[in-house]
């Protein structure tokens, strides 16, 4: 099935046009993050299972440098003291 960190393809695309999402929370509700715009969506597990088309990439195989949504450490702003 699907696990935390997997990249999944949904049957319908998001409003931004992207249909790839990252699973960021598992439980009774599933939280996914759009890989196009970064919008976070939370839905019941039953609805998620119905709307899931396929698991695009399992979490160990995700290459962070190829995904534009991920932020690298040098892009993060350091807190001002």
């Amino acid at each position: 099935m699907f696990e935390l960190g997997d990249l999944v393809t949904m049957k319908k695309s998001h409003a931004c046009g992207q249909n790839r999402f990252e699973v960021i929370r598992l439980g009774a509700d599933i939280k996914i993050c759009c890989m196009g715009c970064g919008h976070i969506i939370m839905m019941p597990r039953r609805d998620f299972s119905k709307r899931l088309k396929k698991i695009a990439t399992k979490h160990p195989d995700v290459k962070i440098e190829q995904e534009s949504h991920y932020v690298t450490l040098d892009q993060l702003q350091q807190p001002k003291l």
Side-chain angles (χ1 to χ4, degrees), residues 20-21 30 35-36 38 40 57 68-69 73-75 79-81:
R20 289 183 41 160
F21 295 85
I30 306 291
M35 295 303 287
I40 295 175
T57 311
S68 61
H69 177 265
L73 289 176
D74 56 332
Q75 293 174 329
K80 297 179 182 178
L81 300 175

Side-chain angles (χ1 to χ4, degrees), residues 22-38:
E22 177 190 10
V23 178
I24 57 175
R25 181 183 185 275
L26 293 175
D29 294 323
I30 306 291
K31 192 180 279 190
I32 56 177
C33 181
C34 177
M35 295 303 287
C37 65

Side-chain angles (χ1 to χ4, degrees), residues 8-14 17-21 34 53:
V8 296
T9 304
M10 303 300 278
K11 290 180 182 175
K12 290 188 176 181
S13 62
H14 189 243
Q18 186 69 257
N19 67 344
R20 289 183 41 160
F21 295 85
C34 177
K53 186 175 184 179

Side-chain angles (χ1 to χ4, degrees), residues 46-78:
R46 182 175 181 205
D47 291 344
F48 178 79
S49 297
K50 285 182 184 178
R51 296 177 185 178
L52 177 68
K53 186 175 184 179
K54 68 176 184 174
I55 298 173
T57 311
K58 295 297 279 179
H59 73 280
D61 301 329
V62 173
K63 296 191 177 18
I64 295 174
E65 58 275 353
Q66 292 180 351
E67 300 295 336
S68 61
H69 177 265
Y70 290 102
V71 178
T72 60
L73 289 176
D74 56 332
Q75 293 174 329
L76 291 174
Q77 292 182 352
Q78 297 298 323

